[in-house]
């Protein structure tokens, strides 16, 4: 029975891993916002000096992992679903003694009470269950250990979502937790929440083509489950050219003097076990 229950989850994880593996070679050049968010998270980490093991969940090409290794000089683990990301990270950071692991936030391949600090930047929104990820973090953290992460909330990519809905009635965007649901999820027994802040960040693009390429380059164009078409879905039968023309026109509605934005509602959270 468990295998049947896990099949959809495993299929989603494979799609996510495949999408990010394909983007591994282009990720760093396109991940400006991701680095900004990661730097802001790193600035919020507790000033601990006696850590023995630190973990980066959803490490990607290793930006946060490398920062952890250099700051704390201790056993550093980088974990990701995507083998392509792990290969790129391993090849680009040979000078650092980092242990790279394949795995998911909801099922960490680590012993209970084996980690002092967990960091994760813009990865946990890909989890099936943030609550399950928090429970796993609780399991592997030592008492007093910290979990520091960023994730995306509802309202992220709303321009992309709105433009596509004007084309075919579908969002073409993954669902993100409402801020109220995030707050409720964080209120789990035992945890002490040290920081919970939500801000809006934007990337600006000259046109639709640039925005599409940017999302593809960081692997964020993988859609886990599209929403069903609405009652106002345009008639089927549009050619690829017609769909693109409609999408471009809808996307242009969001244009501002700086260009066309893609917005991200970024939550930054620091919790202590």
């Amino acid at each position: 029975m468990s295998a049947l229950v896990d099949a959809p989850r495993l299929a989603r994880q494979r799609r996510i891993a495949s999408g990010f593996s394909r983007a591994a070679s282009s990720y760093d050049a396109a991940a400006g916002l991701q680095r900004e968010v990661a730097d802001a998270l790193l600035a919020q980490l507790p000033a601990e000096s006696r850590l023995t093991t630190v973990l980066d969940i959803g490490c990607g090409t290793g930006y946060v992992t490398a920062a952890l290794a250099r700051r704390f000089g201790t056993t550093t683990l980088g974990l990701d679903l995507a083998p392509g990301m792990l290969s790129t990270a391993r090849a680009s950071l040979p000078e650092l003694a980092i242990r790279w692991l394949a795995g998911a936030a909801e099922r960490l391949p680590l012993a209970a009470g084996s980690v002092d600090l967990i960091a994760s930047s813009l990865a946990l929104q890909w989890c099936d269950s943030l609550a399950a990820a928090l429970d796993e973090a609780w399991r592997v953290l030592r008492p007093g250990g910290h979990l520091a992460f960023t994730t995306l909330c509802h309202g992220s990519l709303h321009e992309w979502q709105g433009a596509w809905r004007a084309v075919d009635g579908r969002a073409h965007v993954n669902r993100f937790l409402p801020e109220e649901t995030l707050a409720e999820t964080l209120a789990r027994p035992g945890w002490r929440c040290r920081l919970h802040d939500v801000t809006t960040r934007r990337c600006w693009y000259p046109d639709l083509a640039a925005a599409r390429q940017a999302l593809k380059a960081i692997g964020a164009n993988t859609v886990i489950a599209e929403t069903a078409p609405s009652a106002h879905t345009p008639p089927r039968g549009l050619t690829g050219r017609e769909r693109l023309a409609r999408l471009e026109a809808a996307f242009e509605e969001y244009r501002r003097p700086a260009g066309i934005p893609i917005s991200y509602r970024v939550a930054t959270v620091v919790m202590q076990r």
Side-chain angles (χ1 to χ4, degrees):
M1 179 65 72
S2 60
L4 292 176
V5 172
D6 285 349
R9 176 183 63 82
L10 293 174
R12 286 192 293 272
Q13 288 185 352
R14 284 194 293 269
R15 290 182 64 192
I16 295 167
S18 177
F20 279 104
S21 286
R22 288 193 301 270
S25 62
S26 59
Y27 184 88
D28 285 341
L33 177 136
Q34 285 70 23
R35 285 191 294 274
E36 290 177 10
V37 171
D39 287 341
L41 177 67
L42 289 166
Q44 297 295 337
L45 295 184
E48 301 285 349
S49 59
R50 298 182 179 179
L51 305 181
T52 59
T53 304
V54 296
L55 167 67
D56 178 16
I57 294 177
C59 63
T61 57
Y63 184 81
V64 170
T65 328
L68 295 175
R70 293 179 177 122
R71 179 185 299 191
F72 297 109
T74 189
T75 300
T76 305
L77 312 175
L79 176 139
D80 205 281
L81 273 177
M85 287 290 189
L86 292 172
S87 294
T88 297
R90 187 181 294 110
S92 62
L93 296 166
E95 76 281 8
L96 297 176
I98 297 170
R99 181 184 171 197
W100 304 103
L101 303 172
E106 299 104 319
R107 294 190 178 185
L108 297 173
L110 298 168
S114 61
V115 177
D116 299 292
L117 170 68
I118 297 174
S120 179
S121 191
L122 296 184
L124 296 186
Q125 68 269 14
W126 295 98
C127 292
D128 288 337
S129 168
L130 177 60
L134 293 180
D135 289 345
E136 269 293 87
W138 177 274
R139 181 184 68 81
V140 304
L141 279 173
R142 297 187 176 102
H146 287 82
L147 166 65
F149 69 93
T150 59
T151 190
L152 297 182
C153 293
H154 180 72
S156 297
L157 280 72
H158 77 88
E159 299 91 352
W160 192 247
Q161 181 184 55
W164 265 114
R165 280 184 171 158
V167 175
D168 61 11
R170 294 181 181 271
H172 292 260
V173 171
N174 291 313
R175 296 184 181 92
F176 301 108
L177 284 180
E179 293 175 34
E180 298 81 2
T181 304
L182 174 61
E184 292 168 1
T185 305
L186 296 179
R188 302 184 73 70
W191 286 106
R192 286 172 285 179
C193 190
R194 301 299 192 187
L195 172 68
H196 176 198
D197 180 60
V198 183
T199 59
T200 298
R201 292 178 179 265
R202 292 183 177 89
C203 294
W204 298 90
Y205 302 99
D207 51 34
L208 171 66
R212 294 180 74 182
Q213 180 57 38
L215 291 174
K216 181 179 179 181
I218 61 172
N221 60 331
T222 300
V223 179
I224 300 173
E226 291 185 6
T227 56
S230 71
H232 304 291
T233 301
R236 294 187 179 275
L238 292 175
T239 66
R241 183 174 298 178
E242 289 170 334
R243 282 168 59 86
L244 181 59
R246 286 195 179 192
L247 184 60
E248 287 178 333
F251 205 52
E252 282 292 328
E253 293 295 321
Y254 296 97
R255 183 174 291 281
R256 301 181 188 178
I260 302 175
I262 294 290
S263 300
Y264 296 83
R265 288 289 288 166
V266 180
T268 302
V269 178
V270 180
M271 305 174 74
Q272 187 173 20
R273 189 189 191 285

